[in-house]
Amino acid sequence: MPAIKPQGNLYGSIGTNLLLMDIMGLATCLGFTGGLAAALGIFSAEAAAINDNIDTSKFMAEPITELKKLNESQDEMTTKMELLVLKIQADLCKSLQAYDDKKFVIDKWTRKKGGGGISCIIQDGTGFEKAAVLVSVIHGELSEDAIKRMKSRRGNIKGNLVPFFAAGISSVIHPRNPMIPTFHFNYRYFEIIDEDGQRHWWFGGGSDLTPYYLDVADAKHFHKTLRRACDMHNPTFYPKFKEWCDKYFYIPHRKECRGVGGIFFDDLDSLGHQGTFEFVKTCAEAVVPSYIPIVKKHINDGYGYAERRWQLLRRGRYVEFNLVYDRGTKFGLATPEARIESILASLPLVARWEYMNSPSPGSKEEELMKVLLEPKEWADDDE
């Protein structure tokens, strides 16, 4: 069968949000209003000119927090994290845009109870069937249920009226070409102040790769990029967070991993406030160099109907994990007055399920399945 290049897609959309785990699912799923800025692309230069210190022109839209407050609080972690996620969002969107003729839709929204976010989406594009790059910066008071769960995880929280701040970035990229893996990452910061004035904070995040066809060089490149980022701060982080990732993105009812993994961590504070931020910053800055070279390598690869069919079958597994096991998605769907479009923004446009599908022995599809059944140490030089 000759190689084909699809010319478009008329399938309907389905959407997801993996932005912030557990309580962080509030970031893009509670009540808010917002408008699309797709026709504008990057926001106006006039808005950037208002700011005397922070260069906002490099972002996809104006910051969620007002510029005056950001300028006056540049040493605060809340400001540092907001500026970081806005920069990473812009860096990734601009890098992805080079491989798609369709422009990002920019949806800036406001949360009624405090804060808001910026959702950048390519849907039904030439290079990407779905590319979602989501930022949230929200604040308010935790619900009673959230406070109970916080206390069960971090027992030294005092009081029943607990203000919180949460900032994060999350992205899932579903390419058209089956030779390009699906890519997911998220990095987040959460802080609360209890009734004694004690500040409690932590970071979480990770990055993982889900190929449809195994390219060993791609897996090695991805994992070695993450290992270098981790090793800059603590040489124990990569093996620990790699194992955590393999366990988290496991599909129990299929007895297989979702992809070839990456890193995953939560409740991290071991390097101190600034040190842990610097670690997260390094990991976030590794997003573009870990993934974009893989996109560039395979964007023009040929493929046929069989490869497309296998891609859709594997995307079915992606959907299964997100809807059945992912903590952020489950939390969002269970939240009253949730915005479903945001919760589901990272699901693929199309997926496929077949009864008793099994790859042919010796096939490329079987080659992938073998590594999904038993995770490998991709960053090792001898693999």
Side-chain angles (χ1 to χ4, degrees):
M1 180 179 295
I4 62 169
K5 297 289 179 61
Q7 299 300 311
N9 195 333
L10 299 179
Y11 297 107
S13 73
I14 198 171
T16 195
N17 168 23
L18 296 175
L19 181 52
L20 302 172
M21 309 300 287
D22 203 37
I23 180 62
M24 298 290 276
L26 284 166
T28 56
C29 66
L30 288 180
F32 52 74
T33 59
L36 297 181
L40 300 179
I42 305 301
F43 66 99
S44 67
E46 291 89 32
I50 296 173
N51 177 20
D52 294 331
N53 299 309
I54 298 170
D55 180 13
T56 60
S57 63
K58 60 189 177 183
F59 302 144
M60 299 300 286
E62 296 179 54
I64 292 88
T65 304
E66 63 179 41
L67 294 174
K68 181 181 179 182
K69 183 175 182 180
L70 290 175
N71 278 320
E72 293 173 348
S73 61
Q74 293 191 48
D75 292 333
E76 294 290 329
M77 188 57 66
T78 53
T79 297
K80 292 177 182 179
M81 193 64 185
E82 178 170 353
L83 296 178
L84 173 63
V85 297
L86 290 171
K87 180 182 183 300
I88 298 304
Q89 181 185 52
D91 289 348
L92 179 58
C93 287
K94 291 169 184 176
S95 296
L96 293 171
Q97 192 66 78
Y99 300 97
D100 205 299
D101 295 337
K102 199 165 189 177
K103 300 298 183 183
F104 271 97
V105 170
I106 304 171
D107 184 9
K108 189 164 188 275
W109 50 267
T110 301
R111 179 174 174 261
K112 293 178 182 179
K113 295 184 178 181
I118 302 165
S119 299
C120 297
I121 307 289
I122 287 179
Q123 185 168 271
D124 220 0
T126 56
F128 306 102
E129 286 191 57
K130 174 76 76 63
V133 190
L134 314 175
V135 158
S136 289
V137 179
I138 66 169
H139 55 84
E141 289 189 354
L142 292 178
S143 66
E144 290 184 11
D145 182 60
I147 292 172
K148 289 178 181 178
R149 284 183 289 129
M150 287 276 179
K151 289 181 177 180
S152 69
R153 294 169 62 185
R154 306 173 76 94
N156 55 345
I157 297 172
K158 298 180 180 180
N160 295 315
L161 291 176
V162 180
F164 76 92
F165 171 89
I169 179 170
S170 178
S171 178
V172 176
I173 312 301
H174 293 293
R176 280 202 177 277
N177 195 314
M179 303 305 158
I180 306 175
T182 282
F183 171 62
H184 160 253
F185 80 92
N186 78 83
Y187 292 102
R188 56 196 182 272
Y189 172 70
F190 195 87
E191 74 170 38
I192 59 176
I193 300 175
D194 66 20
E195 66 178 13
D196 287 347
Q198 181 70 31
R199 188 186 304 270
H200 305 263
W201 58 267
W202 56 92
F203 292 85
S207 178
D208 64 280
L209 198 67
T210 305
Y212 305 102
Y213 287 90
L214 180 65
D215 185 316
V216 172
D218 291 347
K220 283 177 160 298
H221 163 78
F222 184 76
H223 276 267
K224 287 183 177 183
T225 303
L226 296 179
R227 185 177 68 180
R228 285 193 295 270
C230 291
D231 286 353
M232 290 175 61
H233 300 269
N234 187 322
T236 70
F237 277 178
Y238 172 76
K240 182 193 304 182
F241 298 157
K242 192 268 185 189
E243 181 181 7
W244 199 346
C245 184
D246 288 337
K247 290 180 178 178
Y248 182 81
F249 292 106
Y250 180 73
I251 308 173
H253 66 270
R254 297 288 189 179
K255 295 182 173 58
E256 63 190 48
C257 294
R258 189 175 77 174
V260 295
I263 59 172
F264 177 90
F265 59 91
D266 203 3
D267 293 315
L268 186 67
D269 58 10
S270 59
L271 298 178
H273 215 178
Q274 184 63 29
T276 310
F277 169 75
E278 293 295 338
F279 167 67
V280 169
K281 181 173 181 284
T282 301
C283 291
E285 290 174 343
V287 164
V288 169
S290 71
Y291 184 61
I292 296 301
I294 297 174
V295 175
K296 181 179 180 181
K297 176 180 175 181
H298 296 291
I299 191 69
N300 292 316
D301 286 1
Y303 62 92
Y305 294 104
E307 289 78 18
R308 171 62 170 169
R309 174 171 163 265
W310 177 249
Q311 179 193 47
L312 297 184
L313 286 168
R314 294 309 307 169
R315 282 186 179 170
R317 298 291 206 270
Y318 205 95
V319 172
E320 289 174 27
F321 175 85
N322 279 19
L323 296 182
V324 177
Y325 300 110
D326 183 70
R327 285 168 52 192
T329 302
K330 289 170 65 178
F331 178 84
L333 293 174
T335 301
E337 301 181 12
R339 186 178 189 249
I340 301 302
E341 290 300 321
S342 291
I343 300 168
L344 301 179
S346 68
L347 289 181
L349 284 181
V350 285
R352 183 182 180 99
W353 285 264
E354 293 183 5
Y355 182 73
M356 296 294 287
N357 177 274
S358 181
S360 301
S363 66
K364 291 290 186 181
E365 292 79 8
E366 185 188 51
E367 180 184 25
L368 174 71
M369 291 306 302
K370 287 181 179 179
V371 302
L372 299 184
L373 295 173
E374 186 175 351
K376 297 173 65 69
E377 297 301 325
W378 298 105
D380 290 351
D381 291 331
D382 59 349
E383 285 291 329

